[in-house]
Amino acid sequence: VARPLRCQLQWQVSERLQLKNDGNVITYIGDEIKFQNKFGAWQNYIYSCDFDITKKSVVDLRLDPGHLP
């Protein structure tokens, strides 16, 4: 039986937030987010969120471990 993962989250918007425009979709990109694993260790993640400004909805969300270059 698999147990659901429990995690805590820390997030702040900083000067490293980047915006890209692709027609009606804006992509928010940053690396100021951390997830805490079951052992209590925090790991930084890069996030990118595609948002359709005409439909006012999230199109896609991606998370990858690490920092922006």
Side-chain angles (χ1 to χ4, degrees), residues 12-65:
Q12 69 182 44
V13 176
S14 73
E15 68 280 354
R16 295 195 66 174
L17 179 67
Q18 300 174 19
L19 301 177
K20 293 189 328 185
N21 187 355
D22 182 22
N24 294 329
V25 176
I26 294 175
T27 302
Y28 298 91
I29 303 169
D31 64 355
E32 293 291 329
I33 188 168
K34 294 181 181 182
F35 290 99
Q36 188 176 34
N37 65 21
K38 64 181 179 180
F39 302 110
W42 291 94
Q43 183 173 7
N44 290 67
Y45 275 75
I46 299 168
Y47 63 86
S48 56
C49 176
D50 298 334
F51 185 80
D52 188 319
I53 58 175
T54 57
K55 296 179 182 177
K56 298 182 181 178
S57 64
V58 173
V59 177
D60 193 18
L61 175 66
R62 295 168 299 284
L63 296 167
D64 294 300

